[in-house]
Amino acid sequence: CIFATSGSAACFENVPYESFSYWNSSDKAVPVKSMFSLEAELVGADFGLEESLNTPTDIFLDEKYLYLLDSDNSRLIIADKNTYKTVSVICDPVYKGEELHFRKAEGVYAKDGKVYICDTDNERLIICDIKGKVSRVITCPDNDIIPEFRLS
């Protein structure tokens, strides 16, 4: 897992690597100025975890926490953003008596004490607190106008 910081108004000039963009019509890599600077390279042990990270797919930072979605391990790691000490690990949260197992979850966002997990292959959005208490699950709508509606 790589943790980077954004270059807000200015690009980073003196980084020890090259940056490229693939946002063009030819699909060729085009050299660009770096928009991020490497701050830390983290592995599972940095969070105090015995199991290594397996396909981390998303990372989110708020004023207190770092949220790391470890997709193939079906878990969300929430850690102190300064010390990387794990505060909570959410895997298989329970909602209305049903255990919710993540399948290829690919997105995480947090605001106002709520954590939003995009559980991609299960086509649902799970809303919970940092301890994993689920308050809501949003799934695909039953819709006659768009019968093949999918979240992915």
Side-chain angles (χ1 to χ4, degrees):
C1 172
I2 294 181
F3 177 45
T5 56
S6 175
S8 52
C11 295
F12 291 94
E13 297 281 339
N14 300 317
V15 293
Y17 50 83
E18 296 180 54
S19 294
F20 297 90
S21 173
Y22 294 90
W23 288 31
N24 59 50
S25 60
S26 67
D27 290 330
K28 285 186 175 180
V30 177
V32 295
K33 290 184 179 181
S34 294
M35 298 301 291
F36 298 93
S37 175
L38 182 65
E39 184 173 308
E41 185 175 339
L42 305 170
V43 296
D46 294 313
F47 298 101
L49 303 171
E50 292 180 18
E51 190 174 35
S52 64
L53 300 174
N54 189 0
T55 315
T57 53
D58 200 11
I59 190 167
F60 180 78
L61 289 170
D62 66 13
E63 58 281 346
K64 291 173 69 176
Y65 301 115
L66 177 149
Y67 303 80
L68 178 63
L69 194 55
D70 189 13
S71 185
D72 284 357
N73 283 329
S74 301
R75 65 184 176 180
L76 174 65
I77 301 159
I78 302 173
D80 179 281
K81 79 173 196 175
N82 297 309
T83 65
Y84 308 125
K85 181 180 179 195
T86 297
V87 173
S88 178
V89 177
I90 299 172
C91 52
D92 302 329
V94 175
Y95 182 66
K96 295 185 177 179
E98 178 188 353
E99 192 172 88
L100 306 176
H101 184 71
F102 304 144
R103 281 189 24 226
K104 301 289 183 189
E106 294 182 353
V108 64
Y109 177 78
K111 185 171 180 155
D112 298 330
K114 293 182 180 178
V115 181
Y116 301 82
I117 304 166
C118 180
D119 190 7
T120 307
D121 278 7
N122 285 321
E123 298 182 337
R124 64 187 174 196
L125 179 69
I126 298 170
I127 303 170
C128 62
D129 64 15
I130 66 164
K131 297 295 181 186
K133 183 177 180 190
V134 179
S135 59
R136 186 170 178 198
V137 175
I138 300 172
T139 58
C140 291
D142 184 15
N143 189 327
D144 294 333
I145 296 171
I146 308 171
E148 293 187 27
F149 181 85
R150 293 180 55 92
L151 292 176
S152 53

